[in-house]
């Protein structure tokens, strides 16, 4: 007897709450195996092939190509234990047991591929006198030193206690941090301009549920409808093409806006004579594998961060602490057809220029093919932005939140320069450093930038400090 099981869009990791259906890999009536990719979706981070945890016959698909679906929405249904699936497995030599138990992996997709769910992190919440302490999911914002909550923590069900009254806008909110686990609940509140601190949660430990937010929205709409209307003003002309702010463009917009809101940044810059650096690169390429200018600048950055570790850090605003990081995971800006992405070279502080260059080339190719995984686009501690490839001299970079600094590099062009007391034509580049003023003052930032410029002008400086 066939059993029809529904497969929903799983949690894709890294706080992603929706994905766009790019291409279906199966048709209704197809027989699928356990963990066979059935659909290709595009998130704000990367293109991902989603595997189905059930084996059987596809009976329905949900969502046309180009449709954006939230996490938890139905993707397809599979008839498990059907004769067609049994015959297919028998012909291929695969398992042929009946029932869902032998035709489901039970795995959970996280980021890219399937794997076992991670353990849920919990914290003890102080209780009133005379009561035992209760627990709630950890709600502090993630930093590089405090990774994002695991999939189990984000998607684990929460049993809500029966509400004693309907929460409305303006109700007294619980003391302490806003108790919200679901990203969808936060997004719903943000879309309606709702302050979650003014919403009383009906879930356990004051957890704010979706029904609480919807009730507060309805109450706000009723209050607005009761206010006497004022004479209408002429509306501005808003005709024109409207482009949805989603996918990579939407993720970039959100991250840059958050950086501007939360980070008090400052920028310093300097012109440097890159003639000797270009000569050193030519000599290296003549003697061995070719090394790019970006790889040399990346190696200079890792050496500079070893001398000025304040810039390889992040700020935990809730704890009022600067988290100084031990490893350097170097992000670099890469322009693709899908938009700007920032792949990350892991453990860049342990690599030489040749190794960094090879990893940059590998990640850049994957970015252009749209095959970067979410894990390859997150976890950076410092970013290098070579906007000189666009033919511009300078810029004021926006810090890649939650990092503390970004080095921008302009184009390298011949310019008049005083060299050894004589006017000469030299290869000149402008370097700009945008930094989080909370982690250091201008002296540290200036020292970092000056060291980078010295290495560009005299590559032997780097050799002396290794």
């Amino acid at each position: 007897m066939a059993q029809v099981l529904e497969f929903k869009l799983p949690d894709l990791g890294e706080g992603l709450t929706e994905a766009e259906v790019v291409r279906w890999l199966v048709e209704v009536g197809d027989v699928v195996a356990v963990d066979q990719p059935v659909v290709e979706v595009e998130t704000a981070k990367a293109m991902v092939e989603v595997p189905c945890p059930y084996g059987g016959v596809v009976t329905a698909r949900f969502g046309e190509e180009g449709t954006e679906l939230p996490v938890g929405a139905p993707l397809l249904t599979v008839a498990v234990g059907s004769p067609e699936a049994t015959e297919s497995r028998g012909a291929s030599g695969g398992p042929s047991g009946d029932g869902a138990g032998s035709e489901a992996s039970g795995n959970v997709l996280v980021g890219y591929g399937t794997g076992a769910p991670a353990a849920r992190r919990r914290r003890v919440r102080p209780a009133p006198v005379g009561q035992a302490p209760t627990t709630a999911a950890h709600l502090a914002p993630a930093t590089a030193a405090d990774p994002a909550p695991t999939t189990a923590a984000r998607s684990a069900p929460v049993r809500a206690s029966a509400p004693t009254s309907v929460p409305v806008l303006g109700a007294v909110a619980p003391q302490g941090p806003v108790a919200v686990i679901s990203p969808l609940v936060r997004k719903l509140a943000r879309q309606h301009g709702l302050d979650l601190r003014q919403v009383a949660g009906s879930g356990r430990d004051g957890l704010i549920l979706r029904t609480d937010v919807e009730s507060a929205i309805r109450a706000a709409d009723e209050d607005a409808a009761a206010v006497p209307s004022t004479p209408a003003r002429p509306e501005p002309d808003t005709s024109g093409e409207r482009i949805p702010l989603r996918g990579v463009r939407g993720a970039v917009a959100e991250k840059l806006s958050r950086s501007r809101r939360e980070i008090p940044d400052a920028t310093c810059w300097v012109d440097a004579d890159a003639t000797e650096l270009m000569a050193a690169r030519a000599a290296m390429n003549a003697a061995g594998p070719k090394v790019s200018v970006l790889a040399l600048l990346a190696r200079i950055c890792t050496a500079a961060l070893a001398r000025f570790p304040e810039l390889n850090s992040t700020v935990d605003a809730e704890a009022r602490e600067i988290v100084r990081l031990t490893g350097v995971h170097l992000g670099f800006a890469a322009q693709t057809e899908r938009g700007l992405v920032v792949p990350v070279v892991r453990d860049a502080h342990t690599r030489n220029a040749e190794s960094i260059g090879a990893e940059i080339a590998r990640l850049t190719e994957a970015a252009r093919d749209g095959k970067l995984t979410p894990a390859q686009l997150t976890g950076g501690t410092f970013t290098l932005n070579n906007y000189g490839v666009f033919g511009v001299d300078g810029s004021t970079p926006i810090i890649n939140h939650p990092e503390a600094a970004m080095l921008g590099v302009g184009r390298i062009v011949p310019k008049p320069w005083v060299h050894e007391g004589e006017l000469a034509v030299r290869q000149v580049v402008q370097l700009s450093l945008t930094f989080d003023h909370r982690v250091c003052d201008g002296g540290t930032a200036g020292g970092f930038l000056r060291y980078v410029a010295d290495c560009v002008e005299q590559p032997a400086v780097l050799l002396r400090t290794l």
Side-chain angles (χ1 to χ4, degrees):
M1 187 69 178
Q3 178 185 8
V4 178
L5 299 179
E6 183 180 71
F7 174 44
K8 299 179 179 180
L9 179 65
D11 186 343
L12 300 171
E14 302 296 340
L16 302 174
T17 58
E18 63 271 321
E20 180 180 335
V21 176
V22 175
R23 181 168 61 99
W24 282 102
L25 305 178
V26 295
E27 302 286 343
V28 173
D30 286 355
V31 177
V32 296
V34 172
D35 288 342
Q36 174 183 332
V38 293
V39 64
E40 186 178 68
V41 301
E42 181 180 29
T43 71
K45 300 290 186 182
M47 300 278 276
V48 178
E49 288 187 350
V50 181
C52 179
Y54 310 123
V57 177
V58 178
T59 58
R61 299 186 321 194
F62 303 96
E64 299 296 328
E65 294 180 354
T67 303
E68 192 169 69
L69 299 177
V71 169
L75 271 179
L76 49 76
T77 54
V78 178
V80 175
S82 64
E84 295 90 341
T86 303
E87 292 174 6
S88 175
R89 289 193 305 278
S92 63
S96 58
D98 293 331
S102 63
E103 300 178 28
S105 69
N107 289 337
V108 179
L109 182 80
V110 181
Y112 202 85
T114 57
R120 182 173 180 177
R121 298 175 56 201
R122 305 183 72 84
R123 70 176 180 185
V124 175
R125 185 181 290 230
V129 176
Q131 296 182 16
T134 58
T135 59
H138 185 48
L139 304 174
T143 65
D146 182 15
T150 63
T151 299
R154 286 192 297 269
S155 59
V158 178
R159 294 189 180 91
S161 57
T164 56
S165 61
V166 178
V168 297
L169 187 66
V172 178
Q175 297 297 320
V178 177
V180 179
I181 291 179
S182 171
L184 293 177
V185 172
R186 292 186 181 275
K187 182 178 180 180
L188 180 63
R190 185 167 59 250
Q191 288 175 338
H192 290 82
L194 183 65
D195 186 353
L196 288 172
R197 292 172 297 182
Q198 301 299 320
V199 178
S202 62
R204 179 176 297 177
D205 303 323
L207 183 70
I208 298 176
L209 307 177
R210 181 168 184 164
T211 55
D212 301 330
V213 173
E214 290 173 343
S215 297
I217 292 170
R218 285 195 298 271
D221 291 342
E222 292 171 0
D223 291 343
V227 177
S229 59
T230 57
R233 297 180 181 178
E235 293 293 332
D237 182 10
T238 58
S239 60
E241 182 183 8
R242 289 180 174 266
I243 301 173
L245 197 59
R246 65 187 187 189
V248 172
R249 189 72 261 157
V252 170
E254 174 60 28
K255 194 153 194 175
L256 296 183
S257 298
R258 185 177 183 184
S259 179
R260 281 295 194 216
R261 286 194 308 268
E262 298 182 10
I263 299 178
D265 58 356
T267 303
C268 53
W269 57 89
V270 65
D271 289 342
D273 180 359
T275 306
E276 296 301 326
L277 180 69
M278 300 303 288
R281 173 176 176 260
M284 293 172 65
N285 290 346
K290 294 188 179 301
V291 178
S292 66
V293 175
L294 186 62
L296 292 176
L297 291 169
R299 180 64 187 90
I300 291 172
C301 282
T302 60
L305 289 171
R307 295 171 66 90
F308 300 93
E310 296 91 337
L311 295 171
N312 193 57
S313 61
T314 187
V315 174
D316 186 339
E318 183 175 332
R320 295 183 61 82
E321 294 176 342
I322 297 173
V323 182
R324 192 169 295 178
L325 307 170
T326 54
V328 177
H329 304 308
L330 188 71
F332 64 95
Q335 192 70 36
T336 70
E337 291 183 357
R338 297 178 62 236
L340 179 69
V341 294
V342 184
V344 177
V345 177
R346 304 286 170 183
D347 300 314
H349 61 290
T350 65
R351 300 172 181 262
N352 58 22
E354 181 179 335
S355 174
I356 292 175
E359 184 67 357
I360 288 176
R362 184 183 73 85
L363 292 171
T364 299
E365 182 178 0
R368 289 171 179 166
D369 293 339
K371 295 182 179 179
L372 287 174
T373 66
Q376 292 172 316
L377 291 165
T378 54
T381 63
F382 183 93
T383 297
L384 176 61
N385 187 357
N386 180 22
Y387 44 74
V389 296
F390 304 122
V392 298
D393 295 329
S395 176
T396 54
I398 298 178
I399 296 173
N400 188 19
H401 184 279
E403 298 170 13
M406 177 186 290
L407 179 69
V409 182
R411 60 176 181 164
I412 301 176
V413 292
K415 288 185 178 180
W417 190 267
V418 176
H419 176 66
E420 296 180 352
E422 299 289 338
L423 187 62
V425 176
R426 306 285 288 181
Q427 300 291 322
V428 179
V429 62
Q430 185 180 99
L431 307 170
S432 56
L433 177 72
T434 298
F435 64 99
D436 186 338
H437 223 315
R438 296 173 297 179
V439 305
C440 69
D441 294 325
T444 300
F448 174 94
L449 187 58
R450 188 63 257 171
Y451 176 80
V452 171
D454 288 345
C455 290
V456 168
E457 294 185 341
Q458 303 175 50
V461 172
L462 178 61
L463 297 176
R464 287 198 300 267
T465 58
L466 292 180

